[in-house]
Amino acid sequence: MKRIGFLSFGHWSNSPGSQTRSASDVLLQSIDLAVAAEEVGADGAYFRVHHYANQLASPFPLLAAAGAKTSRIELGTGVIDMRYENPMYMAEDAAAADLIAGGRLQLGVSRGSPESVIDGSRYFGYEAPEGSTMADVARNNTTVFLKVIDGARFAEPNPRPMFPNPHLGPLGIQPQSPGLRDRIWWGAGSDATAVWAAEQGMNLMSSTLKEDESGEPFHVQQRKQIEAFRAAWAEAGHEREPRVSVSRSIFAIVNDMDRRYFIGGGDRSDQFGVIDDFRAVFGRSYAAEPDVLIEQLREDEAIAAADTLLLTVPNQLGVDYNAHVLESILTHVAPALGWR
């Protein structure tokens, strides 16, 4: 069994054919898609987080609302940019949303992707101290976040509080959501950051691009990244088994609408380029009839190595079509590959 979920970028625009014309459309349809995904048997509903763009940006109201409307499906992010986050406030929001969802949050966090503006986190009040980078800030914020959701008690209590303190000694953030610490994922763009995630006891979230570290095909580099992560996890001596996800654009062409949207649309090879001043490799996408798709996916070493597959969806095509996209993979592809 492989967990299969969707990953939505949450775009909205007035472009022809878009069914998400506004932020309200995206938010409400994202909730509806989580419900629909649960109904067709998917395992996860994940949402991207981007600032300064016509995309989803504030995940916790969305996760809480989706949690209240669903009962089984995992709800997550891919990823929250920790350059922008107050880890204390985020810890309160995350715990509250997780409690509403009954302990189903799977939060992907990271340094984040290239931004729509220059030094965007500065406008949120965050800048790198002298001698450090915003990547350092993201990792430091993550470290604090992990400690406080794990129950760290650090704040000196008021000797004359408005309400009696429930504990003796230092206090921590409230609420606390048991088990949330084990459901934090790091979005790793390189082998080194995957190893760091393992050392911190976070699950691994690997996307459709990574730093090109060998010139090999994307899925091979990603499989080696997963192996480096698991080796570092074992060396760190963590007691639980880690989870690993990969993201892919995969479309099974089973009807005329699929053919209109995607026939010939799959990128048949990886792409190499420069992003944020480092050389990156971008993974291919897949679009084909199920029998062809099954054989193509058998060759993807990273999908085989991961326990969770996140399918990127074209959210602007609407809830019904995206539910069909998910159901097609679950029905026509997953069983033949042993995922169902």
Side-chain angles (χ1 to χ4, degrees), residues 157-242:
N158 186 340
R160 293 181 294 278
M162 180 177 293
F163 302 103
N165 287 323
H167 305 286
L168 296 175
L171 303 177
I173 64 104
Q174 294 295 340
Q176 290 280 318
S177 187
L180 178 59
R181 173 63 176 82
D182 291 341
R183 288 180 275 115
I184 308 301
W185 306 59
W186 182 259
S190 67
D191 292 356
T193 53
V195 168
W196 179 81
E199 293 168 348
Q200 307 308 308
M202 289 185 284
N203 304 305
L204 175 64
M205 184 173 281
S206 193
S207 185
T208 52
L209 68 88
K210 72 177 293 292
E211 184 176 343
D212 176 25
E213 300 182 75
S214 67
E216 295 173 293
F218 171 75
H219 71 102
V220 175
Q221 293 197 48
Q222 194 174 45
R223 186 258 301 164
K224 291 183 176 181
Q225 181 192 48
I226 293 169
E227 291 173 348
F229 168 80
R230 288 194 168 126
W233 186 279
E235 186 174 347
H238 302 303
E239 294 183 0
R240 68 178 179 88
E241 286 295 313

Side-chain angles (χ1 to χ4, degrees), residues 5-12 20 26-27 29-31 33-34 44-50 55-57 62 76-79 247 310-318 322 326:
F6 72 82
L7 175 62
S8 173
F9 282 62
H11 294 285
W12 77 85
T20 53
V26 167
L27 288 163
Q29 289 188 31
S30 293
I31 297 166
L33 184 55
Y46 287 72
F47 304 97
R48 290 296 300 263
V49 180
H50 285 133
Q55 299 175 43
L56 295 168
L62 172 59
T77 53
V79 292
S247 302
L310 301 182
L311 303 171
T312 61
V313 294
N315 74 279
Q316 287 181 282
L317 296 182
N322 281 293
L326 296 172

Side-chain angles (χ1 to χ4, degrees), residues 38-284:
E38 183 171 82
E39 290 173 350
V40 302
D43 303 300
Y46 287 72
F47 304 97
R48 290 296 300 263
V49 180
H50 285 133
H51 301 287
Y52 306 105
N54 287 5
Q55 299 175 43
L56 295 168
S58 51
F60 294 110
L62 172 59
L63 294 173
K69 290 275 192 173
T70 57
S71 61
R72 176 191 59 81
I73 198 168
E74 295 179 342
L75 302 162
T77 53
V79 292
I80 297 173
D81 189 331
M82 295 302 289
R83 294 174 293 183
Y84 286 78
E85 295 296 326
N86 178 319
M88 301 292 188
Y89 191 64
M90 177 177 164
E92 293 179 341
D93 277 353
D98 194 42
L99 291 169
I100 290 170
R104 289 182 283 129
L105 259 59
Q106 303 284 342
L107 294 180
V109 302
S110 189
R111 169 206 174 271
S113 60
E115 302 177 277
S116 298
V117 299
I118 298 171
D119 295 332
S121 59
R122 177 168 58 87
Y123 301 101
F124 280 56
Y126 302 108
E127 295 186 78
E130 186 175 352
S132 65
T133 68
M134 288 308 298
D136 297 324
V137 170
R139 285 189 287 268
N140 291 339
N141 284 346
T142 301
T143 299
V144 173
F145 173 72
L146 294 175
K147 288 179 179 177
V148 297
I149 65 171
D150 205 26
R153 292 166 59 180
F154 52 88
E156 182 179 354
N158 186 340
R160 293 181 294 278
M162 180 177 293
F163 302 103
N165 287 323
H167 305 286
L168 296 175
L171 303 177
I173 64 104
Q174 294 295 340
Q176 290 280 318
S177 187
L180 178 59
R181 173 63 176 82
D182 291 341
R183 288 180 275 115
I184 308 301
W185 306 59
W186 182 259
S190 67
D191 292 356
T193 53
V195 168
W196 179 81
E199 293 168 348
Q200 307 308 308
M202 289 185 284
N203 304 305
L204 175 64
M205 184 173 281
S206 193
S207 185
T208 52
L209 68 88
K210 72 177 293 292
E211 184 176 343
D212 176 25
E213 300 182 75
S214 67
E216 295 173 293
F218 171 75
H219 71 102
V220 175
Q221 293 197 48
Q222 194 174 45
R223 186 258 301 164
K224 291 183 176 181
Q225 181 192 48
I226 293 169
E227 291 173 348
F229 168 80
R230 288 194 168 126
W233 186 279
E235 186 174 347
H238 302 303
E239 294 183 0
R240 68 178 179 88
E241 286 295 313
R243 288 183 59 183
V244 174
S245 74
V246 296
S247 302
R248 293 290 187 275
S249 296
I250 304 174
F251 301 98
I253 297 176
V254 299
N255 63 26
D256 289 340
M257 185 174 291
D258 298 330
R259 292 185 183 91
R260 285 198 299 271
Y261 282 139
F262 296 112
I263 196 68
D267 296 325
R268 298 187 178 184
S269 61
D270 300 335
Q271 300 178 47
F272 293 81
V274 176
I275 186 168
D276 266 10
D277 298 324
F278 68 88
R279 181 171 169 79
V281 54
F282 302 79
R284 60 164 296 180

